[in-house]
Amino acid sequence: QVQLVESGGGSVQAGGSLRLSCVASGFTRSTYSMAWFRQAPGKEREGVALIRSDDTTRDGESMTDRFTISQDKARRTLYLQMNSLKSEDTAMYYCAAAQTHFDVDVFAERNWRFWGQGTQVAVSS
């Protein structure tokens, strides 16, 4: 069973930065995809970005040039560097994983079998 543990959220002022981390354990295959989603209050969860085991990435509708997705394969850790944060970035951020690559509806939640508990990001203006 894959387990995902997020960290790095917190409360920051607008213009600040945070780096979210997601440590994965339990992968049984070398092929995987990992992603960040976020859910703002009163809104549906939406994809931010994904990265695959071959280091290819895809941007979700929430992605912005203020954010960077990366991974440390040796540590099986996924990162989301968030700079110049805005109040509209306030949300619960979730890490998700799948032990495959897919190219259709990549941010559809049905494709993501494993989810973390989330880490809260609150940006005050």
Side-chain angles (χ1 to χ4, degrees):
Q1 184 78 353
V2 175
Q3 293 188 326
L4 305 171
V5 179
E6 302 104 328
S7 62
S11 297
V12 296
Q13 291 191 330
S17 297
L18 286 172
R19 187 176 79 157
L20 306 184
S21 300
C22 171
V23 179
S25 61
F27 279 134
T28 58
R29 306 173 196 165
S30 58
T31 299
Y32 61 84
S33 301
M34 295 185 73
W36 289 104
F37 287 76
R38 72 182 186 183
Q39 187 168 21
K43 296 187 177 181
E44 292 187 352
R45 189 155 56 184
E46 57 187 14
V48 180
L50 71 83
I51 190 165
R52 303 183 179 103
S53 48
D54 62 1
D55 292 319
T56 56
T57 61
R58 291 281 295 274
D59 293 343
E61 59 183 305
S62 299
M63 194 53 168
T64 161
D65 57 7
R66 299 179 290 111
F67 294 177
T68 303
I69 190 170
S70 63
Q71 65 178 331
D72 182 332
K73 291 181 180 178
R75 292 182 169 84
R76 282 294 169 95
T77 301
L78 175 72
Y79 299 103
L80 184 68
Q81 178 67 44
M82 304 187 296
N83 299 326
S84 302
L85 283 161
K86 302 178 178 180
S87 57
E88 53 261 42
D89 296 319
T90 294
M92 183 72 81
Y93 285 73
Y94 296 92
C95 175
Q99 292 225 233
T100 185
H101 294 173
F102 39 86
D103 295 307
V104 179
D105 294 333
V106 296
F107 292 104
E109 292 192 22
R110 65 178 182 276
N111 287 327
W112 300 91
R113 181 175 178 184
F114 306 105
W115 292 85
Q117 294 300 306
T119 185
Q120 180 69 47
V121 171
V123 184
S124 58
S125 57

